[in-house]
Amino acid sequence: MFPASFDFFKASSVADAVSILSREDDAKLLAGGHSLLPLMKLRLASPAVLVDISALEELAFVEDKGDYVAVGALTRHHDVANSELLKSAVPILPFVASKVGDPSVRHRGTIGGSIAHGDGASDLPAAILALDSDLVAVGPDGERVIQAKDFFLGFLETALRPNEILTEIRVPKFSGGWSYQKFNRRAQDWAIVGVAAVHNGSTKISLVNMASTPIRASAVEAALADGASVEVASGVASEGLEPPSDLNASADYRRHLAQVLVKRALTEALG
Amino acid sequence: MQITTIVNGRSYTKDVEPRTLLVQYIRDVLGLTGTNVGCDTSSCGACTVLLNGESVKSCTVLAVQVNGQELTTIEGMATDSGLHPIQKAFQENHGLQCGYCTPGMVMAAASFLNENPNPTEREVREALEGNLCRCTGYHNIIKSVLAAANAMEGAM
């Protein structure tokens, strides 16, 4: 399968990438390519212009910033999964990164690419959402910070503007319990349903593949805040949600899975 | 667009369309047909090659993205003195049936053993999760990779 033809630019810096995005119509950023290229090969996406940012080494970093860890958008899943700093400061994040695809996919795919793609079935966007991370975007007017809860707007739609580039993910450190439950049939597949839970005073839970975007399990969070047991709280895991039906699972099966997996996640995170 | 790559130690400068996939560049432009196309959707791993020493699925990388970088394909594994220890281990342990997945399996194993020279069986299984064998000959593939790890440790 071939992608449709496009014009190709290699960006020499973040500013260069922003200026190409601002100048060209219908341009998309290309990093590891493991979300975009499959869509282009299936002709579900046919951008006129690709701006290759994969060589921008200034965007591949993991840095200790005191209260939070700054992760450069071009940090590959492999490097997130193996970061000693993240393993000690935000252990759920490297664990989730190690569950994305398979080793060869993790050698190419980047955390920024995964988040900017905004797929409700992806692992990392849900983790970022449960962690209340801040996302840094750079555009023609400079930098702005978007909270994860305001980032995922709809099916493959994010708050990023067409001429903005996601540069950094700021992940708050935490010392409490956590869990990531990924249910799939084959090791390298997407989650049929996934659950990320972080317990740090309050408990935050987000769900994978239970909506068109990654989504917080607000009903469960509210129940726990009111003192409900794990048993009772996990029972409302799919309340108010419209999960997708596809070849892997019906919406009803996903609702059932969400309850089972939230219970497992809470048992692990709060235990 | 003109790109230069070092493939199996040899430098090539070629003109490619930006939409050319790395696997097409390797097979159709360079004529190195040892790398196979399986699913063409980054699931099966038949097209696995090493990019700067690390395994990647060459059906999901653009050739223009690897300009100036180093690739190793299955053709680059054996030397004049014989098969690479991983290839030898696949041969000795009957680590293949039809052989279609084998180049990808060998390259994925090479990347993994470079990172983890002394793996457990469980680690080998997890390392090869992105490489499918439709003959379902996984048992001997795992055995082959463990044997290769032993042989390569011994050689060092």
Side-chain angles (χ1 to χ4, degrees), chain B residues 13-76:
Chain B
T13 299
K14 301 282 181 187
D15 260 323
V16 296
E17 247 192 290
R19 63 172 170 164
T20 308
L21 302 169
L22 180 57
V23 69
Q24 296 164 332
Y25 170 73
I26 290 167
R27 288 178 56 86
D28 304 341
V29 180
L30 303 184
L32 297 168
T33 53
T35 303
N36 288 329
V37 179
C39 68
D40 206 6
T41 56
S42 66
S43 298
C44 80
C47 65
T48 306
V49 300
L50 303 186
L51 173 59
N52 305 319
E54 292 177 320
S55 62
V56 300
K57 294 180 165 179
S58 60
C59 72
T60 309
V61 178
L62 295 175
V64 288
Q65 285 193 287
V66 306
N67 188 16
Q69 302 184 46
E70 271 186 52
L71 294 161
T72 309
T73 68
I74 190 69
E75 289 91 343

Side-chain angles (χ1 to χ4, degrees), chain A residues 13-55:
Chain A
S13 64
V14 171
D16 186 36
V18 169
S19 102
I20 300 170
L21 287 177
S22 304
R23 188 185 73 211
E24 300 288 336
D25 279 337
D26 192 23
K28 289 286 278 180
L29 294 171
L30 177 70
H34 274 55
S35 298
L36 183 56
L37 291 179
L39 288 183
M40 290 175 64
K41 288 171 71 178
L42 293 167
R43 307 286 173 114
L44 295 172
S46 304
V49 173
L50 283 190
V51 185
D52 184 8
I53 53 169
S54 59

Side-chain angles (χ1 to χ4, degrees), chain A residues 201-233:
Chain A
S202 63
T203 307
K204 294 159 189 168
I205 304 131
S206 62
L207 304 171
V208 180
N209 225 347
M210 282 297 289
S212 57
T213 62
I215 195 161
R216 286 281 279 268
S218 337
V220 180
E221 292 179 1
L224 287 171
D226 285 346
S229 65
V230 165
E231 187 78 37
V232 169

